[in-house]
Amino acid sequence: MSDLPHCPQCASEYTYEDGAMFVCPECGHEWSKDGSGEENEEKVIKDSNGNVLETGDTVSVIKDLKVKGSSLVVKVGTKVKNIRLVDGDHDIDCKIDGIGAMKLKSQFVKKV
Ligand SMILES: [Zn+2]
């Protein structure tokens, strides 16, 4: 019985240990045992409470936000479903009922 993980790249089960690394003989992929390898370096986006946000989460807005280029305001407490995390200054892509597609900053929302 082996408890070695399958290769994250090609799903091969023939991985072996090499020091602090796992190695896949089939595709040559190497990754560290503690999961801190570069392959796992993903940008973490957090809400105003420090909770990690994920694509598909529902959040609520914690302050009134003016919608750029319009007179609309996203009111505090507005629920935003199915967010999508993106790169950039505004790191949440979403669609808000009555307003449409827009981008939010993660610091102005909280996970619900
Ligand atoms: Zn592999």
Short mmCIF file of all heavy atoms in Angstrom, two decimals, residues 7 9-10 12 24 27 29, ligand 1:
data_model
loop_
_atom_site.label_atom_id
_atom_site.label_comp_id
_atom_site.label_asym_id
_atom_site.label_seq_id
_atom_site.Cartn_x
_atom_site.Cartn_y
_atom_site.Cartn_z
N CYS A 7 0.33 12.28 -9.33
CA CYS A 7 0.93 13.47 -9.93
C CYS A 7 -0.16 14.51 -10.22
O CYS A 7 -1.16 14.20 -10.86
CB CYS A 7 1.64 13.09 -11.23
SG CYS A 7 2.23 14.51 -12.14
N GLN A 9 0.00 16.88 -12.19
CA GLN A 9 0.09 17.31 -13.58
C GLN A 9 -0.57 16.31 -14.54
O GLN A 9 -1.35 16.68 -15.38
CB GLN A 9 1.57 17.46 -13.95
CG GLN A 9 1.80 18.45 -15.07
CD GLN A 9 2.52 19.67 -14.56
OE1 GLN A 9 2.03 20.37 -13.69
NE2 GLN A 9 3.69 19.94 -15.08
N CYS A 10 -0.21 15.02 -14.37
CA CYS A 10 -0.71 14.02 -15.33
C CYS A 10 -1.49 12.91 -14.63
O CYS A 10 -1.93 11.98 -15.28
CB CYS A 10 0.45 13.43 -16.13
SG CYS A 10 1.52 12.35 -15.15
N SER A 12 -0.55 10.56 -12.80
CA SER A 12 0.13 9.27 -12.73
C SER A 12 0.19 8.78 -11.29
O SER A 12 0.34 9.56 -10.37
CB SER A 12 1.55 9.40 -13.27
OG SER A 12 2.31 8.26 -12.90
N CYS A 24 7.41 12.69 -10.44
CA CYS A 24 6.61 11.85 -11.34
C CYS A 24 7.50 11.37 -12.47
O CYS A 24 8.05 12.18 -13.21
CB CYS A 24 5.43 12.65 -11.89
SG CYS A 24 4.57 11.78 -13.21
N CYS A 27 5.84 12.28 -16.39
CA CYS A 27 5.91 13.59 -17.06
C CYS A 27 7.07 14.43 -16.54
O CYS A 27 7.33 15.51 -17.05
CB CYS A 27 4.59 14.35 -16.90
SG CYS A 27 4.31 14.98 -15.24
N HIS A 29 7.34 15.85 -13.66
CA HIS A 29 6.94 16.91 -12.73
C HIS A 29 7.49 16.63 -11.33
O HIS A 29 7.50 15.49 -10.88
CB HIS A 29 5.42 16.98 -12.70
CG HIS A 29 4.88 18.07 -11.82
ND1 HIS A 29 5.22 19.38 -12.00
CD2 HIS A 29 4.04 18.04 -10.75
CE1 HIS A 29 4.60 20.11 -11.08
NE2 HIS A 29 3.89 19.34 -10.32
ZN ZN B 1 3.16 13.38 -14.02
#
